[in-house]
Amino acid sequence: MDPMSALAVAAAAIQFVDFGGSLLGKSWSRYKRATSAETTSDISKQLSSLKVTLHDASDRLLSQRPTIPERQLLDACALCDKIESEFQAAFGNASNRSYSPSLVRRFWEQPKIDQMDVRLQALKGLVMEAFILCIWEDTRESRKRDQQFTTQITNVLDTLKRIEEKTIEQSQSYKEFPDRPARSLAEVSNHISLADMADYVRSTLAFGDQKAMREMRSDLQKATIANMDWKPDPSMSSEPWPHETFMDRNISSVARIVCESFHFEAFEAREAAIADSIMQTYSWIYDRHPIRPDGEPVWSSFPDWLEGPSDPTYWITGKPGSGKSTILKHILKNPALRDHLGKWARDDRPLVIASYYAWNAGTTLQKSIQGLKRTLLSQVLAQYPGLLPMLVPRRWAYFMAIQGVLEMGNASDWEVDESFGILLSLAGKNIYLAIFIDGLDEFDVHPKEVVSLIEVISSASSGDGVKICVASRPWVEFDDAYRDVPKLQMDLFTHADMKTYVLYNFSGCRALSDLRKLYPIETAQLEQDIAQKANGVFIWLKVVVDALMESATEGAGISELQGILESLPSNISQLYDAIWARIPEHNRRRGAVLLRLVQITADYCQLNWSLAWLADEYAFRQYDDIATEHTMISGVSMETDVAFVNDFCAILKRKLASRTRGLLEIGRPGNTIGTNEGVVNFTHRTAQDWARGNEVLDGLIQQCGDSFDPYLFLVEMFTIWLTPERLQLMSKTHLWEKAIEPTLWYGSRITTSGPSQNIDKLVRALDVFGARVDVALAQRNGRSVWTGSIPLTIRENDFVGLAARFAILPYLQAKAAEDERILFRLRGTSRTPGILESAVLGYRELREDETFTPGSISTRTTRKNQDIHCIHAAPLRLETVRFLIDQGVEQYSMSIPGKWETVSLREEARKIMAVQNVPTGFQAKMFQLLGDGLRVSLRMAAMRLKLTKLELKAMKSRR
């Protein structure tokens, strides 16, 4: 059936439904009556007329063999007939009197009216979903089904708009439309709004809840977003959108959703952590002619570079801690930047300014080329949503097909690469692109790869379309690449800024202000000596200023402060040694715990302020799960009250100052609560490098104590953090990503070779953790099953099964010792993964249709975590599989969720490991284990069979 004929049937049916709603006096009905002076006889005639219109429209369906959606549309028409008969019977009992909505109550009780209201609204949804599925079915044979479907939906919406406009103008009667479906629609438009119907088409496309509608959207997503071979229809990004008002209203919101698909944890945390420049520091960067008295330029004019041609790159370099990140942030925040760049981008093409701050102490995407691409794409879209159709054609195509989205899932790396290539191709043709990249030396790849990327970006654009400014330490690879380009060496030109910084901070310290009144000359000399000794290294300056203000607050006099300054070394690493040694012993021990936690969480995710608070509270204190049912940070206000979080972070800031003397800092919570807020991390890359040194690291471990295991400590802190109150506030996705996933990951790092008391602590903490989540799930789902919520597509797991997923061998051994049956509770079926399957496939194989996984494993936090977990857990995973096989756990096949298909566990594991580039050595050992397990199982089965035969023979002989 062609889409227009199906539309005519749907419109006639919705017209009937809206008329029925108007008879009940329901506000959702938009039926337009010809006159308000109607009688029950008029109502009866209109019902008959609407029924005839519906039959005329649906006759074509009866003249052919209908498809399933067409049959559904016919069923809806039959329901309209039934409802029409019920209305006729009701109005037939009434004499020919004036009609009003209250008249219905004379012959129907209120429950009957309410029931009819529900039936009519359900019928309206059924009609619209059947109509859309008719179009979907009509495109089944198309080679580019998604594009054909989009075209047909667009034509439908365009037709509704065109007919609505013509009938409003009354320039044509419905009889003058050339084809029968159009005439039917024109007639219907006299009573219902076709614009409202178009909106209903869009909302049903995007949010229709029938299983077939969900499957259609899933198929469209797979055909566009997930299909690497998909190619866009050029018309989608080059031709005007036929519904300009709808596009204008929605493209910005769609762009925001697409931006979310590029985001990752701590997306903007590094920029937020960089201190803003104070007063007039760094304002000199916009001086056009930085000339020394002898006439020589002291650095390459930055305004001239901004206004000039794209080539070459501008390089900001300098010693570690000399303020490169701070000046770059100042450059980007200064309104003069766009003014100067506007002289380079001279025509009407948009000027897009994007930036990335690489941070070696952060998450993987904070220091990777993939993170750079995601950040730049997100910023470009946020500034110019109109670029969406060209820049991210897959997601735009999906949006055009379903006309509305709430979320699209996370972008894969290959899609990010594809869109980034498109972005570079647009530069110079459609946009001017200015890119600022801080920390080339902070990336987790070889410097030559970073230099190559900069060259690719510079050369990929058309003409004079891309301008790039970079900042880095003066490593040899960067010096070779950028020695001859315009540049600024920070540590040579910041003495005045440093004096300003010292004066500004000292002025804000009450103790130093009092000393200035008594010793103005000596205080001024102290400030001068600090700036001089810093030798251009701002991070040295910051650490020293913080230390001196702390000492002044504690009562140190001006001569004592001068002595402290003289005793501090100029070398930044030696400075950290000196600062650390000056911390009182009881504070230094707690500081060592915090430093260790920040170090190990850098491999996975950053340390949240609330966990850091708990870590400081419970350091060197006996863990007690009973006393952790209610903590100060477990209440509702923690999630909703920004002032509450700000107060805690202010106190935590003071704790960090006393424990680490500026080595660690907390990101500012700001005005909203989110994943990037209140993160504890190293103040600077130099502090991280210092803490990694062998002697320092050994000292930290010694101060924490012999029995201290940072991974176990984090498991305990997560258990304390996940109170019953918090569980009630957490969504399924949030519960998985912020609690279950990290707890099990850290638990997987604890080996069986650790102290026995630590194994006992691990089992106890995980038992409490699992029990709390069990209770919450039982309350939420009606039963204690660690599973998702979509029937037939999920695979139910339990906490022990998840422990096998993460290869937490000590926990599995302890639980098996308590009750060996626990290992045999989960059998590999279409609804449950076997425990051996979980151990073999591991954490990397958590799927979108299995436990707590909201889409594929989140790119924001866990794509790299999977890789890390695979590397760290490979030996332990082999031991876990060996343990299960030795315990007699058997599994040879597994079910593919939602497909009712059984495959060999060994072969499925081989496929998955090949796709995920699992090391061949690990694969060989795993398959050897599975083969040995199969041989052992076969021998055991043969022995059982032989014993059974002997027992039967003995029974017969006794008879």
Side-chain angles (χ1 to χ4, degrees), residues 97-164:
R97 64 178 71 181
S98 296
Y99 164 78
S100 70
S102 61
L103 183 62
V104 179
R105 298 189 182 91
R106 290 180 177 271
F107 39 82
W108 279 352
E109 297 292 336
Q110 189 60 43
K112 170 70 174 177
I113 295 174
D114 293 341
Q115 183 188 47
M116 180 59 73
D117 178 33
V118 171
R119 289 170 64 192
L120 286 170
Q121 292 195 65
L123 179 56
K124 190 172 184 178
L126 179 65
V127 167
M128 189 52 67
E129 289 187 349
F131 159 65
I132 291 170
L133 291 171
C134 283
I135 298 178
W136 181 241
E137 181 66 26
D138 188 60
T139 62
R140 178 178 292 278
E141 302 303 323
S142 175
R143 194 165 58 89
K144 295 184 177 181
R145 190 179 188 186
D146 61 293
Q147 295 179 8
Q148 180 66 19
F149 178 75
T150 300
T151 298
Q152 294 197 11
I153 287 292
T154 302
N155 290 339
V156 164
L157 296 173
D158 191 48
T159 298
L160 291 172
K161 180 183 179 184
R162 177 170 50 84
I163 293 177
E164 175 93 346

Side-chain angles (χ1 to χ4, degrees), residues 360 363-365 367-369 440-446 450:
N360 190 263
T363 62
T364 292
L365 288 174
K367 52 185 176 184
S368 68
I369 291 174
L440 299 189
D441 52 286
E442 303 270 357
F443 281 84
D444 59 357
V445 296
H446 194 278
V450 183

Side-chain angles (χ1 to χ4, degrees), residues 195 245 260 269 313 414 440 505 515 531 573 606 650 663 689 692 695 712 840 898 941:
T245 303
E260 282 293 319
T313 297
W414 60 263
L440 299 189
N505 281 277
L515 286 173
S573 180
Q606 293 179 312
L663 294 171
D689 293 343
R692 283 177 175 174
E695 290 186 12
L712 172 61
V840 170

Side-chain angles (χ1 to χ4, degrees), residues 139-348:
T139 62
R140 178 178 292 278
E141 302 303 323
S142 175
R143 194 165 58 89
K144 295 184 177 181
R145 190 179 188 186
D146 61 293
Q147 295 179 8
Q148 180 66 19
F149 178 75
T150 300
T151 298
Q152 294 197 11
I153 287 292
T154 302
N155 290 339
V156 164
L157 296 173
D158 191 48
T159 298
L160 291 172
K161 180 183 179 184
R162 177 170 50 84
I163 293 177
E164 175 93 346
E165 289 174 347
K166 288 189 175 181
T167 52
I168 289 174
E169 294 169 2
Q170 296 182 345
S171 59
Q172 288 182 272
S173 72
Y174 68 86
K175 295 180 181 179
E176 295 173 352
F177 281 92
D179 55 81
R180 180 179 172 184
R183 288 195 299 272
S184 298
L185 287 170
E187 183 178 2
V188 166
S189 70
N190 291 320
H191 300 291
I192 65 172
S193 167
L194 296 187
D196 287 347
M197 186 171 173
D199 287 340
Y200 196 38
V201 170
R202 295 187 184 103
S203 63
T204 306
L205 270 167
F207 311 115
D209 199 40
Q210 187 184 142
K211 180 182 177 183
M213 291 293 295
R214 295 196 302 267
E215 290 176 347
M216 181 196 75
R217 287 194 294 269
S218 176
D219 288 345
L220 283 168
Q221 194 168 28
K222 290 174 183 175
T224 52
I225 296 176
N227 179 14
M228 294 183 70
D229 296 327
W230 180 87
K231 300 296 181 186
D233 181 349
S235 64
M236 287 187 177
S237 58
S238 60
E239 292 183 2
W241 176 255
H243 309 284
E244 288 81 4
T245 303
F246 175 70
M247 178 179 174
D248 292 343
R249 188 172 67 242
N250 284 273
I251 193 167
S252 294
S253 61
V254 177
R256 283 195 296 272
I257 292 169
V258 174
C259 284
E260 282 293 319
S261 68
F262 292 133
H263 282 189
F264 50 87
E265 177 127 6
F267 181 69
E268 297 174 334
R270 175 54 183 159
E271 180 181 7
I274 297 170
D276 292 320
S277 57
I278 59 171
M279 300 174 66
Q280 297 303 309
T281 56
Y282 297 133
S283 59
W284 45 264
I285 187 63
Y286 284 105
D287 291 348
R288 185 173 294 278
H289 302 295
I291 304 297
R292 290 197 310 235
D294 60 5
E296 291 295 321
V298 291
W299 68 83
S300 303
S301 172
F302 194 63
D304 286 351
W305 177 81
L306 291 173
E307 297 170 8
S310 294
D311 287 332
T313 297
Y314 195 100
W315 183 31
I316 298 174
T317 187
K319 297 177 182 178
S322 58
K324 300 181 291 295
S325 299
T326 306
I327 195 171
L328 198 63
K329 184 174 181 178
H330 171 80
I331 288 169
L332 288 161
K333 297 293 183 183
N334 197 312
L337 175 65
R338 187 167 287 273
D339 294 338
H340 287 297
L341 285 173
K343 297 178 181 179
W344 162 62
R346 291 180 295 275
D347 53 35
D348 295 334

Side-chain angles (χ1 to χ4, degrees), residues 684-868:
H684 192 263
R685 166 75 178 277
T686 53
Q688 180 198 36
D689 293 343
W690 169 81
R692 283 177 175 174
N694 291 335
E695 290 186 12
V696 175
L697 184 58
D698 290 343
L700 294 177
I701 293 172
Q702 183 178 1
Q703 286 169 324
C704 289
D706 294 337
S707 63
F708 179 78
D709 185 326
Y711 298 105
L712 172 61
F713 190 64
L714 281 169
V715 170
E716 292 177 333
M717 293 307 100
F718 270 105
T719 305
I720 295 173
W721 179 78
L722 194 68
T723 59
E725 293 88 352
R726 187 184 301 278
L727 273 165
Q728 297 302 317
L729 301 171
M730 299 178 81
S731 66
K732 183 179 72 173
T733 300
H734 196 228
L735 175 61
W736 171 259
E737 292 185 348
K738 301 301 178 185
I740 300 172
E741 180 186 56
T743 301
L744 295 178
W745 193 87
Y746 290 124
S748 72
R749 301 299 309 277
I750 301 166
T751 66
T752 55
S753 61
S756 59
Q757 65 267 30
N758 281 1
I759 303 300
D760 293 339
K761 289 179 180 179
L762 171 68
V763 174
R764 182 184 179 193
L766 288 181
D767 278 346
V768 173
F769 183 90
R772 287 182 182 172
V773 180
D774 275 342
V775 171
L777 293 177
Q779 293 173 347
R780 192 175 298 181
N781 304 327
R783 54 184 179 152
S784 177
V785 177
W786 293 59
T787 184
S789 58
I790 305 173
L792 301 180
T793 62
I794 60 172
R795 305 186 77 203
E796 298 175 353
N797 215 330
D798 63 9
F799 191 66
V800 173
L802 283 179
R805 280 276 191 205
F806 284 77
I808 310 179
L809 181 55
Y811 185 75
L812 294 174
Q813 290 174 330
K815 302 313 289 183
E818 293 174 10
D819 182 359
E820 62 181 11
R821 293 173 299 178
I822 201 168
L823 301 179
F824 303 91
R825 196 161 59 193
L826 284 179
R827 298 289 182 180
T829 68
S830 60
R831 293 191 64 84
T832 60
I835 193 169
L836 185 60
E837 169 191 339
S838 293
V840 170
L841 299 182
Y843 170 61
R844 293 171 62 102
E845 189 45 25
L846 279 170
R847 306 169 190 234
E848 61 178 295
D849 48 12
E850 194 175 325
T851 309
F852 281 100
T853 321
S856 58
I857 292 285
S858 170
T859 305
R860 302 174 189 220
T861 59
T862 55
R863 181 183 304 278
K864 60 99 177 183
N865 300 339
Q866 296 179 71
D867 297 332
I868 290 170

